[in-house]
Amino acid sequence: ATSGDRPTGDRFSRLARVLLLDALVMITVTAIVYQVVLAPDANPTGVAVVTNFLEHQAVPVLSVLAWLVVGPRRAFDRRTFSLFLVVPVVWVVYMLARGAFIDAYPYPFVNVSTNGYASVAVALCAILAFGLALAALYTGLDKVLSRRR
């Protein structure tokens, strides 16, 4: 068998596969949350027009497209899926702890000072649930695309 026939799991560590799934999910969430929640109130000017477009539209689309076109394939399995939430949950805990300490939050919908913990918890749970659905979608797509090779 050639190296292209081997499962990705033979070449990449579990950590690398989990981080790849995290990257795909988190960049997709970035794009969609921005478009649905933040963009209606955003009014970038100057260089921010370009950086905003790159950060919230171009990079997410190109990242997912690159994975769809070149892979790697056979990267995601049940164990990878089960571990993918570690990074987003650690980020949420860090963001909330940092925000409580400096009284500043990266997005209005996670601002505990203005929205309260209950509202922020609902928003974060919804985003994490959406992330789970995306991880399942990418895991399924990985299986389908692996069969085509």
Side-chain angles (χ1 to χ4, degrees):
T2 66
S3 63
D5 294 331
R6 287 186 306 180
T8 296
D10 290 350
R11 293 178 294 184
F12 295 103
S13 70
R14 172 73 57 199
L15 177 62
R17 290 180 283 158
V18 170
L19 292 177
L20 174 59
L21 185 56
D22 280 326
L24 285 168
V25 169
M26 292 173 82
I27 200 67
T28 304
V29 167
T30 295
I32 293 172
V33 167
Y34 178 78
Q35 293 303 319
V36 172
V37 178
L38 301 171
D41 295 326
N43 213 0
T45 58
V47 73
V49 171
V50 174
T51 59
N52 187 53
F53 167 76
L54 291 172
E55 182 179 354
H56 296 111
Q57 294 171 341
V59 168
V61 168
L62 292 173
S63 297
V64 173
L65 186 61
W67 174 76
L68 286 170
V69 172
V70 299
R73 296 291 165 250
R74 293 178 268 180
F76 310 141
D77 55 22
R78 278 187 232 141
R79 181 132 168 87
T80 304
F81 177 80
S82 69
L83 292 171
F84 113 91
L85 265 182
V86 170
V87 170
V89 168
V90 167
W91 183 83
V92 165
V93 169
Y94 167 77
M95 176 203 49
L96 291 175
R98 180 180 181 271
F101 184 70
I102 66 170
D103 196 29
Y105 297 87
Y107 308 106
F109 60 89
V110 296
N111 188 328
V112 174
S113 300
T114 58
N115 301 320
Y117 280 102
S119 177
V120 169
V122 168
L124 291 174
C125 285
I127 292 169
L128 289 172
F130 179 61
L132 273 171
L134 285 171
L137 173 70
Y138 287 134
T139 299
L141 276 172
D142 183 51
K143 287 188 188 335
V144 169
L145 293 171
S146 296
R147 290 183 195 133
R148 290 187 172 179
R149 285 192 169 186

